[in-house]
Amino acid sequence: MPPTYDVVIAGGGVAGLAAAWRTVRRGLSVAVADPAPGGGATHASAGMLAPVSEVTYTEEPLLRLGLASLAAWPHFRAELEDESGVELDYRTEGTLEVARGADDMAYLDDLAAFERTLGLRVERLTGRECRSFEPMLAPSVRGGLLARDDAWVNPRRVVRALRTAFEKAGGTLVADRVSGIDASGTGGASVRLASGEAVAAGQIVVAAGSWSASLLPGLPVRPVKGEILRLRGPRGFLTRCVRGLVHGSPAYLVPRGDGEITLGATAQELGYDARVTAGGVYELLRDARELVPGITELELTETTVGFRPGTPDNLPLIGPAGPPGVFAATGHGRNGVLLTPITADAVAALLTGDEPPPVTGACHPGRFSK
């Protein structure tokens, strides 16, 4: 007989692991199947919790979802650190959005006006005021916006904490990839592992990021390639997230408490092209240098490619998907770490027959079949 669990979650990124942790704490037996938990998009992520500075003109439902999840992060962080013993390097100094040219500043001014119509808290700063917050900024920075409510966290520590807390709570990690799902209803649901083994499950959650459509054909999830650099400098080189526009191209720099700086990110529709390209590295360093000249003096410690799971409307897919007893928790795009608490709460509620947070209603996977 194959092993049997109340829930099997296919995929161990932050969404899958957090949903598993929240669910096992409700008394269900839960297994997460992934050969390298946290090794996908989460591993490449910068960990920004920035619904305010990432808002765009057509994504107000995503903004509401992000704000709800950001509000849940302090409690989520406190519980996770307490149960895992892992410090997450969670920081709340906000995001400084800066512009180097007049056109870029005009764009930020328009964006600030739009953000204020949504009730968001942003402050318009002169170039001098920007440099008073971050002295390493270039003298040529013309001005910017300060989004004080944004935060960020180290996603690799989040993964380590979730794995620890999940296993301490009685969860099971299965070091294998789910290659298929059988939920026909004729003999109970199960997942097939790449090794050929079957694992029986009362309910199944597909949280396999950009690979989710291979398990649920027709699920509108695609890979969006992003190239990320990690550098190391002195502690305090930057004290908050710096996002910038350089001749219209976006760049961000995210500092860690240990002196690491994550620099990103390109966004390319190139399928599963895992190459780190010379052009991508050059463009990231070139644009970052325009904002923070001293960046080129730092040690380059890592180049990484990640595949964000994108959807047509940039909202995630959270809820029933496909056969009865099968759920999706995928398609988080660039906001996977930000949306971790709200996703975990929604999935755990669905698996135990409770109502998920109302704000996640817009994320129902069936919205594209209407």
Side-chain angles (χ1 to χ4, degrees):
M1 291 289 294
T4 302
Y5 298 91
D6 294 325
V7 178
V8 172
I9 297 180
V14 287
L17 286 171
W21 173 52
R22 288 298 206 207
T23 302
V24 78
R25 293 167 81 227
R26 290 182 174 221
L28 300 187
S29 61
V30 183
V32 174
D34 194 313
T42 304
H43 187 74
S45 170
M48 289 183 292
L49 314 177
V52 176
S53 59
E54 291 213 354
V55 68
T56 66
Y57 295 98
T58 60
E59 296 183 354
E60 291 183 44
L62 181 59
L63 170 66
R64 290 192 290 272
L65 187 69
L67 289 173
S69 200
L70 179 64
W73 252 102
H75 181 66
F76 181 87
R77 171 246 183 150
E79 284 194 322
L80 184 54
E81 288 187 339
D82 180 62
E83 294 190 22
S84 69
V86 177
E87 194 274 317
L88 304 184
D89 194 13
Y90 173 83
R91 303 178 64 179
T92 59
E93 287 86 346
T95 300
L96 184 60
E97 299 181 82
V98 299
R100 185 176 181 275
D103 290 344
D104 296 331
M105 194 64 245
Y107 170 80
L108 287 185
D109 282 335
D110 288 344
L111 181 62
F114 172 66
E115 289 172 331
R116 291 184 185 112
T117 68
L118 300 175
L120 303 178
R121 186 170 66 138
V122 292
E123 301 172 33
R124 171 66 156 85
L125 303 176
T126 65
R128 183 185 298 273
E129 289 170 330
C130 288
R131 285 184 288 276
S132 72
F133 283 109
E134 295 295 340
M136 297 304 295
L137 287 172
S140 55
V141 165
R142 298 176 67 97
L145 306 175
L146 180 61
R148 291 186 183 271
D149 296 327
D150 282 351
W152 69 100
V153 70
N154 187 325
R156 297 180 182 180
R157 293 194 186 183
V158 174
V159 165
R160 187 161 71 248
L162 285 170
R163 290 186 60 170
T164 301
F166 172 60
E167 291 188 294
K168 280 186 174 180
T172 300
L173 288 173
V174 178
D176 203 348
R177 177 179 59 85
V178 173
S179 61
I181 293 173
D182 180 4
S184 61
T186 58
S190 65
V191 299
R192 297 186 306 278
L193 302 179
S195 64
E197 182 183 4
V199 179
Q203 299 179 96
I204 298 169
V205 180
V206 175
S210 61
W211 287 271
S212 296
S214 67
L215 300 178
L216 288 176
L219 206 64
V221 182
R222 71 188 191 284
V224 180
K225 177 183 178 181
E227 294 175 271
I228 309 288
L229 309 182
R230 281 178 167 79
L231 306 102
R232 185 163 299 281
R235 295 186 183 187
F237 181 84
L238 294 174
T239 60
R240 55 185 48 75
C241 290
V242 173
R243 301 172 65 99
L245 285 170
V246 182
H247 311 302
S249 297
Y252 62 72
L253 300 95
V254 182
R256 310 286 178 211
D258 61 1
E260 180 183 276
I261 292 177
T262 302
L263 169 60
T266 61
Q268 300 169 300
E269 302 279 353
L270 293 174
Y272 292 103
D273 177 4
R275 298 174 302 157
V276 177
T277 64
V281 173
Y282 166 75
E283 290 170 8
L284 287 171
L285 290 173
R286 177 199 65 194
D287 292 348
R289 184 176 182 275
E290 294 284 338
L291 302 174
V292 182
I295 201 77
T296 54
E297 301 301 318
L298 304 186
E299 177 188 5
L300 177 61
T301 60
E302 183 182 309
T303 59
T304 310
V305 167
F307 299 107
R308 307 178 189 91
T311 66
D313 60 5
N314 292 330
L315 278 170
L317 306 169
I318 305 172
V326 178
F327 299 85
T330 186
H332 294 79
R334 65 184 186 272
N335 294 298
V337 179
L338 166 64
L339 299 178
T340 293
I342 199 78
T343 299
D345 288 344
V347 172
L350 289 165
L351 292 172
T352 54
D354 291 337
E355 286 296 319
V359 73
T360 63
C363 304
H364 195 290
R367 67 186 183 273
F368 296 108
S369 59
K370 295 178 181 178

